[in-house]
Amino acid sequence: MIAYGSFLDERASVWWTDLAWTFAALLTGLKCMRVSAGLEQHERLAWRLFGGACFAWFAGMLIWDYHELLRGALTPFPAMSDIGFLAFAPFFMAAFVALQSRVPRYAFTVVQIAKLGILVCGIVIAHLIVLLEPIRQLNGNWLYVSTALAYPALYMSALVYGIGSVWRLLERGLPKGVPLVLLGFAFHALADTVYAYGLLGNTYQVGDHIDVLWLIGFGLIYGGALRRQYGAGARAVDAASSEVGGNLPTGWRGYDAMVPVIAVLCVLLVSYVYQAQLTPATIQMLFPFAFMMVVFIAIGEFATQRFQSDIQWKLAQSEAHLRAVLSTIPYGVQEIDIQGNILFSNAAHDTLFGYAPGELRGRNISMLLADPKEGQAIGSYLAYLAEQQPPPEPYFSADRKQDGSVIQIQVDWNYNFDANGRVVGFISIISDITAKRLIEDQLRQAAAVFQSTSEAVMVTDAEARVSAVNAAFTAITGYAQEEVLGKTPKVLRSGRHDDEFHDDMWRTIKEEGRWRGEIWNRRKNGEVFPVWQAVSTIKDDEGKVSHYVSVFSDISSIKQTQEQLNYLAYHDPLTDLPNRLLFNDRLTHAMERAARAQCQLAVLFIDLDNFKNVNDSLGHPVGDELLIKVASRLRNLSRKDDTVARLSGDEFVIVLENIHDAQDTVVLAQKLIEAFQEPFLVRGHELHVTLSIGVSVYPRDGSNVQTLVRNADAALYRAKEEGRNDFYYYTEELTASVFERLKLESALRNALKNDELVLHYQPLISLHSGRPIGVEALLRWQHPEFGLLPPNRFIGLAEDTGLIVPLGEWVLSSACRQMKAWLQQGCDIERVAVNVSGLQLRRGDFQTTVNDILLATGLEPEHLELEITENFIMHKTERAIDILDNLKALGIQIAIDDFGTGYSSLSHLKRLPVDKLKIDRSFVRDIPEDANDEAIARAVVALGRTLQLKVIAEGVETPEQQRFLISQQCDEAQGFLYSKPVPAAQVADLLKCLPALIASHSS
């Protein structure tokens, strides 16, 4: 013990190193074993081999410690401990082999062993050449030499192989912690190589600095185990390599093919550098290792070829199997590249879209999308997926089949990676869910209908126990679903129906499968109410009754509103008078009563004069209120038994029964006309409304409703034509007049299209100079049947029908175009006058129309004069001022036509932007015989002179009238004295001869 203690004292500086190696190896091995639990098979095996390497080192250290610490002697070399130290490297080699193989393969293992054998042989040969002299000095102790050379041979081979393995694993997924393990092994390889070189040179001493390298190596291996235990796993492994065994990483064949070349080149390089030492004896010593190296190369090449053939065979077998599977599954399988081109599709896929198997390959999936916008965006979306790689999620799409029909599909997809981990495409499984969607939609619709329908729905089982009710059931009956579940419909019985009624109802349900009818039920609050109910039977697949469905609606409001609906159906909603339907019914019955009593009855067709002006100027609300007051006044003026009805708009009709002759209607007609002289007060407006009435008498003027009403309407038109505010009886001549009017209206609508309208022109004469200064455009209709019609035959009709607007635009455009032509021909006239209807002016775009026509014809505005009736200006004062201001702004001249007939207000007149007053022909016709006409003409001329307006007199037919107007200093004249209206072609010649004619009248 004393001797042992002295030995320990001598070894005190290094004994802790031995213990550190021992426990470092043990702890590291245990950590590697613990990490291996829970990993996949190939990685679990690799970490167990890492742990086995540490345990082998631990075993070697136990033997070492036995010699060093227990026996107190130096460990001999070689010793049993070297087996554990040397086994450390092969364990690591095996671990890296396992990391590269997901499933062990015989050929792959042989290739790796051959590669390691090549490396070992190359390194041994290199060391034998380089260390030849130290080896010779060992006096042939080949066990010592072999053991010493085994360290660099095994460790350096394992290190080179490990580096190559890590490089290859980077391409498909390097597990966390492996780089640290490799770095720790590198420290071991460095330490053991230096240790071996020291042994061969007899320079190694325990406790040298290389001892620390072993401790660092175990520390790094332990750190790698911790990293793998708590770090994330490797990235995804190439699916293709996994499919065929996972034993051929990208670049593997090229790398392994280079191993023999690199080993031979290294041997040749060392031989060249140390060629002086290559004696025959040395070469003979190297020959066995060189031979073994060649054998390992041959084995590796054979195994590689075998491995390649095995892979190709398995690939072909796997592909054939995969295609067989894909051809039988009922789902579409599709492989596309990142541009959306179809690389592969199975038969089910192509059939799903209506194509023959294989027909879709090479085409782009955009052609299958139903929405063209999605087809345009699919390329950028696929590029986004390839770049960002979001987690794959199923999506739904509407696609179009070859026949054009649209189907709903579900796509379950995933990425397709290449060997470098880049996305090269997508693999999808496609399911046709059109029928499923249809069923789902139908179920959703059914559920929505069940809950949202306004009708109560009650479902019972075969024993008539309630199993479900909807929201409308609760709203109608007051019972919540939980209050009626499991009960029978008897909870709703009102007691109004006897047992026989219910027995008959259930008998019908069982025999016919349905029943419907009106029934009285009772609400939760006890109220009895009527419902319209339908009960249907639902049967299962075996034909047995499974449920009954009762649908009913509360018809209380229907019964209450039936009378209101009947009333509304037969009455005008605005005035509450009978409408046309009730009027026809009452008139029919009145005619039957009159026929039985052999008496007469009359129909008074009533229309409000100029009612449209009220709507246009004051708005429809005022017009509606006026109609209500009119209806009330008509009712108050009629007898209790008479029917007063509103047919439409401002048309009313009164049925006057029990009259003895037609003259009995005179009293009521006059009474109505006189009563309507009193104005109506509506919303602060005092409105004067007159009536036009047409009267027809039964049976003289018609024996049925249609004839009697039509004839009364014809009489009404005559009343309007004769000045309104009057009544007329129907005569047969009126029928012909109405027919002619209808015929004329139809023809007038086609007159513009058929080019039947023409313009004649009448000269305007300056009374100061005695020469023509302009013309007035006057419209004529060249009717194909009635000949040339003057404007009084159709202008009123055009006003009533609204045709005056297109007619007026045509007149204005034609006149401007003709005036431009005359000016270009050199005619000495200043302007053309055109009459404008009030209806044209009421349109808000008349100024734009005039401006467009002037631009289109090229006529300067100063050559155009618009004649506007005094009646329009005086009734629409403010609006007229705005319209005239806008027209005046264009530069045209404005004249007030028919001046003196419209009761003009001087206060209004002075505000108007007009240039001329036109004395109406009615005030010129009787000059000089009628002193009143002379006075009016004189007053108008004086008014114009005072307001600085020109005055023109129309209808001048005698030299005496001309001389009177000249004496009053009237500016212009127009009439038959100078010329009747003539066609445009005669105007130029007329203008030349007019000065002489005017001069003859003045003398």
Side-chain angles (χ1 to χ4, degrees):
M1 289 296 292
I2 295 174
Y4 180 68
S6 299
F7 175 80
L8 287 179
D9 289 338
E10 294 173 3
R11 304 280 295 170
S13 60
V14 295
W15 69 268
W16 59 269
T17 306
D18 295 342
L19 293 178
W21 295 345
T22 305
F23 287 104
L26 177 62
L27 293 176
T28 304
L30 292 173
K31 174 56 71 175
C32 290
M33 289 298 181
R34 184 175 181 183
V35 168
S36 68
L39 296 178
E40 293 183 6
Q41 180 180 358
H42 71 292
E43 196 177 356
R44 180 171 65 248
L45 176 60
W47 281 98
R48 287 181 176 177
L49 288 171
F50 287 146
C54 295
F55 289 147
W57 188 277
F58 173 70
M61 286 304 302
L62 289 179
I63 298 173
W64 181 285
D65 293 339
Y66 169 75
H67 285 285
E68 298 279 337
L69 300 179
L70 297 181
R71 294 182 60 191
L74 290 174
T75 304
F77 184 85
M80 294 296 293
S81 60
D82 290 295
I83 297 175
F85 300 149
L86 290 172
F88 188 82
F91 271 101
F92 264 82
M93 294 184 205
F96 280 110
V97 171
L99 280 176
Q100 298 176 75
S101 175
R102 292 181 62 85
V103 180
R105 287 291 183 270
Y106 170 75
F108 177 77
T109 304
V110 171
V111 170
Q112 304 310 305
I113 293 173
K115 182 167 60 175
L116 290 171
I118 294 169
L119 291 173
V120 170
C121 291
I123 292 172
V124 169
I125 293 173
H127 279 77
L128 287 174
I129 295 173
V130 174
L131 301 176
L132 180 61
E133 188 58 32
I135 292 173
R136 284 175 177 171
Q137 295 176 5
L138 293 175
N139 299 320
N141 189 350
W142 289 109
L143 180 59
Y144 185 97
V145 172
S146 299
T147 306
L149 287 176
Y151 277 96
L154 291 176
Y155 276 86
M156 292 179 69
S157 298
L159 180 61
V160 172
Y161 181 77
I163 293 172
S165 300
V166 169
W167 172 68
R168 291 193 298 274
L169 287 171
L170 284 173
E171 296 179 343
R172 64 169 188 173
L174 179 64
K176 299 294 184 181
V178 171
L180 284 176
V181 173
L182 180 61
L183 184 59
F185 181 78
F187 275 91
H188 269 273
L190 177 60
D192 283 295
T193 301
V194 173
Y195 169 66
Y197 290 166
L199 290 173
L200 292 172
N202 291 314
T203 60
Y204 173 72
Q205 293 292 328
V206 177
D208 285 351
H209 61 277
I210 63 171
D211 301 343
V212 180
L213 295 178
W214 282 309
L215 290 175
I216 294 174
F218 281 121
L220 289 172
I221 295 171
Y222 191 90
L226 285 175
R227 174 70 170 155
R228 185 65 186 91
Q229 183 177 5
Y230 299 108
R235 62 183 174 90
V237 177
D238 189 336
S241 80
S242 174
E243 180 67 26
V244 296
N247 297 319
L248 190 60
T250 302
W252 176 87
R253 183 66 186 95
Y255 176 82
D256 284 286
M258 292 299 295
V259 169
V261 177
I262 294 172
V264 171
L265 288 176
C266 290
V267 170
L268 292 176
L269 179 61
V270 171
S271 300
Y272 175 76
V273 174
Y274 293 92
Q275 57 183 325
Q277 300 185 31
L278 294 178
T279 63
T282 304
I283 295 174
Q284 184 177 5
M285 178 180 64
L286 296 177
F287 178 77
F289 296 101
F291 177 77
M292 291 177 61
M293 186 175 181
V294 173
V295 171
F296 279 123
I297 290 173
I299 292 173
E301 186 64 26
F302 173 78
T304 299
Q305 295 298 328
R306 179 67 179 270
F307 187 37
Q308 293 275 4
S309 300
D310 184 56
I311 289 175
Q312 294 297 329
W313 181 81
K314 287 184 178 296
L315 277 173
Q317 187 181 42
S318 177
E319 183 177 356
H321 178 70
L322 180 61
R323 291 185 182 278
V325 172
L326 292 179
S327 65
T328 56
I329 63 175
Y331 302 105
V333 178
Q334 175 193 86
E335 180 186 359
I336 62 174
D337 59 20
I338 58 175
Q339 285 78 37
N341 299 314
I342 299 175
L343 305 178
F344 170 79
S345 59
N346 66 346
H349 173 277
D350 296 344
T351 304
L352 174 64
F353 292 102
Y355 293 88
E359 189 176 353
L360 284 175
R361 294 187 189 179
R363 302 194 186 185
N364 196 278
I365 60 171
S366 60
M367 66 174 289
L368 301 177
L369 298 175
D371 188 348
K373 294 182 180 178
E374 291 185 5
Q376 296 170 2
I378 189 65
S380 58
Y381 180 66
L382 292 177
Y384 158 76
L385 292 179
E387 180 179 353
Q388 300 298 326
Q389 298 184 28
E393 294 182 357
Y395 70 90
F396 304 92
S397 174
D399 284 18
R400 192 177 301 279
K401 298 178 66 173
Q402 187 179 28
D403 60 7
S405 61
V406 176
I407 59 173
Q408 301 292 327
I409 64 170
Q410 176 179 333
V411 182
D412 297 273
W413 61 279
N414 208 332
Y415 298 101
N416 189 12
F417 295 95
D418 65 5
N420 296 319
R422 295 189 301 268
V423 175
V424 295
F426 308 89
I427 298 176
S428 306
I429 296 178
I430 301 174
S431 309
D432 184 357
I433 60 170
T434 305
K436 178 183 176 183
R437 279 288 180 88
L438 181 61
I439 294 173
E440 290 175 350
D441 290 344
Q442 290 174 346
L443 290 175
R444 279 194 297 269
Q445 291 170 7
V449 169
F450 180 77
Q451 288 298 336
S452 62
T453 181
S454 59
E455 296 179 317
V457 180
M458 176 175 60
V459 182
T460 71
D461 58 18
E463 283 74 35
R465 290 187 297 267
V466 177
S467 58
V469 297
N470 67 346
F473 177 92
T474 301
I476 292 175
T477 66
Y479 287 102
Q481 177 169 289
E482 56 270 14
E483 293 178 299
V484 295
L485 288 180
K487 298 182 180 179
T488 67
K490 290 181 179 181
V491 297
L492 300 178
R493 284 195 179 181
S494 64
R496 287 201 175 190
H497 306 285
D498 55 20
D499 292 340
E500 184 179 356
F501 172 86
H502 291 286
D503 292 342
D504 291 341
M505 181 182 72
W506 278 105
R507 186 181 305 108
T508 303
I509 293 172
K510 292 179 179 179
E511 292 176 356
E512 300 180 8
R514 65 178 60 86
W515 177 90
R516 66 177 56 196
E518 183 178 320
I519 189 172
W520 287 81
N521 284 339
R522 186 181 300 276
R523 305 186 205 272
K524 183 180 178 181
N525 61 8
E527 179 188 351
V528 176
F529 64 102
V531 300
W532 180 260
Q533 181 168 318
V535 182
S536 301
T537 301
I538 299 177
K539 296 183 179 181
D540 58 20
D541 295 338
E542 298 178 357
K544 297 180 180 179
V545 175
S546 61
H547 295 86
Y548 296 102
V549 178
S550 172
V551 180
F552 61 85
S553 55
D554 186 351
I555 59 173
S556 301
S557 58
I558 295 177
K559 284 183 170 293
Q560 293 171 1
T561 58
Q562 275 180 343
E563 294 182 1
Q564 297 176 1
L565 290 175
N566 288 334
Y567 184 84
L568 291 175
Y570 289 98
H571 288 79
D572 174 47
L574 179 64
T575 62
D576 208 30
L577 293 177
N579 60 12
R580 185 183 295 273
L581 192 63
L582 182 56
F583 164 75
N584 289 340
D585 183 68
R586 288 189 179 181
L587 181 56
T588 300
H589 287 88
M591 292 169 67
E592 292 173 353
R593 288 193 295 271
R596 287 195 298 269
Q598 295 185 348
C599 62
Q600 303 180 59
L601 63 83
V603 174
L604 280 68
F605 207 120
I606 303 169
D607 185 81
L608 304 184
D609 298 330
N610 299 317
F611 175 74
K612 189 175 184 299
N613 293 338
V614 176
N615 274 342
D616 290 344
S617 59
L618 301 178
H620 288 280
V622 173
D624 289 346
E625 191 168 333
L626 176 60
L627 289 175
I628 294 172
K629 291 182 178 291
V630 167
S632 176
R633 187 172 293 186
L634 289 175
R635 267 197 303 259
N636 293 335
L637 294 172
S638 303
R639 298 178 303 182
K640 183 178 180 180
D641 295 336
D642 296 337
T643 296
V644 180
R646 181 191 177 204
L647 298 188
S648 65
D650 60 342
E651 292 181 344
F652 297 85
V653 65
I654 298 177
V655 178
L656 194 62
E657 296 189 56
N658 297 321
I659 62 172
H660 297 288
D661 57 47
Q663 294 302 316
D664 290 347
T665 61
V666 174
V667 177
L668 178 59
Q670 290 178 339
K671 182 179 177 183
L672 293 174
I673 291 175
E674 291 173 1
F676 273 74
Q677 300 305 310
E678 182 181 348
F680 293 88
L681 185 62
V682 180
R683 298 191 179 187
H685 301 281
E686 189 175 279
L687 303 178
H688 293 269
V689 179
T690 59
L691 302 180
S692 294
I693 305 174
V695 183
S696 63
V697 178
Y698 171 84
R700 185 190 72 187
D701 299 330
S703 59
N704 56 61
V705 171
Q706 291 76 17
T707 303
L708 207 56
V709 173
R710 185 182 67 240
N711 291 339
D713 190 22
L716 169 66
Y717 270 103
R718 173 56 61 88
K720 284 184 171 292
E721 288 176 352
E722 295 300 325
R724 308 173 190 266
N725 195 25
D726 201 353
F727 67 93
Y728 267 80
Y729 283 93
Y730 170 77
T731 63
E732 292 184 2
E733 291 78 11
L734 287 178
T735 301
S737 175
V738 171
F739 177 75
E740 180 183 348
R741 177 184 174 88
L742 293 174
K743 188 175 180 181
L744 202 62
E745 178 184 340
S746 177
L748 183 59
R749 294 184 182 276
N750 296 317
L752 271 175
K753 275 193 308 184
N754 298 335
D755 201 23
E756 297 172 1
L757 300 177
V758 295
L759 289 180
H760 285 195
Y761 298 88
Q762 189 174 35
L764 308 176
I765 309 300
S766 171
L767 295 178
H768 300 308
S769 65
R771 68 179 185 84
I773 57 173
V775 292
E776 180 180 4
L778 300 170
L779 183 62
R780 300 290 185 267
W781 182 8
Q782 189 65 52
H783 194 283
E785 182 179 349
F786 302 134
L788 189 66
L789 299 180
N792 62 344
R793 289 287 303 275
F794 61 87
I795 289 298
L797 179 62
E799 291 272 5
D800 292 340
T801 59
L803 292 172
I804 193 65
V805 174
L807 290 182
E809 291 182 9
W810 180 86
V811 170
L812 183 60
S813 178
S814 300
C816 290
R817 189 178 301 106
Q818 183 60 59
M819 182 64 185
K820 181 65 176 179
W822 283 329
L823 291 174
Q824 291 174 343
Q825 295 169 11
C827 291
D828 187 18
I829 54 175
E830 298 176 3
R831 63 184 179 276
V832 61
V834 178
N835 291 281
V836 178
S837 165
L839 191 60
Q840 288 178 269
L841 294 171
R842 279 193 289 271
R843 291 181 53 178
D845 60 348
F846 182 67
Q847 176 193 358
T848 303
T849 301
V850 174
N851 189 53
D852 291 345
I853 290 175
L854 289 173
L855 292 175
T857 60
L859 182 67
E860 291 77 5
E862 60 267 20
H863 295 300
L864 176 62
E865 179 180 289
L866 297 181
E867 296 185 359
I868 300 169
T869 62
E870 181 186 18
N871 186 55
F872 170 78
I873 293 175
M874 291 305 106
H875 281 81
K876 310 282 184 181
T877 307
E878 297 301 327
R879 187 174 179 188
I881 292 175
D882 292 338
I883 294 173
L884 296 182
D885 281 338
N886 292 333
L887 293 173
K888 190 66 178 174
L890 296 177
I892 63 178
Q893 298 186 52
I894 300 174
I896 299 180
D897 196 12
D898 301 332
F899 188 78
T901 62
Y903 308 101
S904 298
S905 166
L906 294 181
S907 63
H908 291 161
L909 185 62
K910 69 180 182 179
R911 297 168 55 200
L912 297 175
V914 298
D915 303 284
K916 187 184 297 184
L917 303 179
K918 193 169 190 178
I919 304 175
D920 187 70
R921 69 178 62 251
S922 63
F923 302 127
V924 178
R925 183 174 54 240
D926 294 329
I927 294 176
E929 288 81 9
D930 191 326
N932 291 329
D933 286 349
E934 286 186 349
I936 293 173
R938 190 179 295 114
V940 173
V941 173
L943 177 64
R945 193 162 49 247
T946 301
L947 296 176
Q948 297 182 347
L949 301 176
K950 289 186 178 182
V951 178
I952 180 174
E954 65 175 344
V956 178
E957 298 181 358
T958 66
E960 290 79 12
Q961 293 170 349
Q962 175 182 289
R963 283 193 289 273
F964 171 80
L965 294 171
I966 293 174
S967 68
Q968 299 301 316
Q969 298 184 358
C970 182
D971 299 294
E972 299 172 8
Q974 172 186 358
F976 285 0
L977 177 64
Y978 310 109
S979 173
K980 293 182 178 181
V982 297
Q986 301 177 18
V987 169
D989 294 336
L990 176 63
L991 294 176
K992 294 177 183 178
C993 63
L994 270 177
L997 177 63
I998 296 170
S1000 66
H1001 293 322
S1002 301
S1003 59

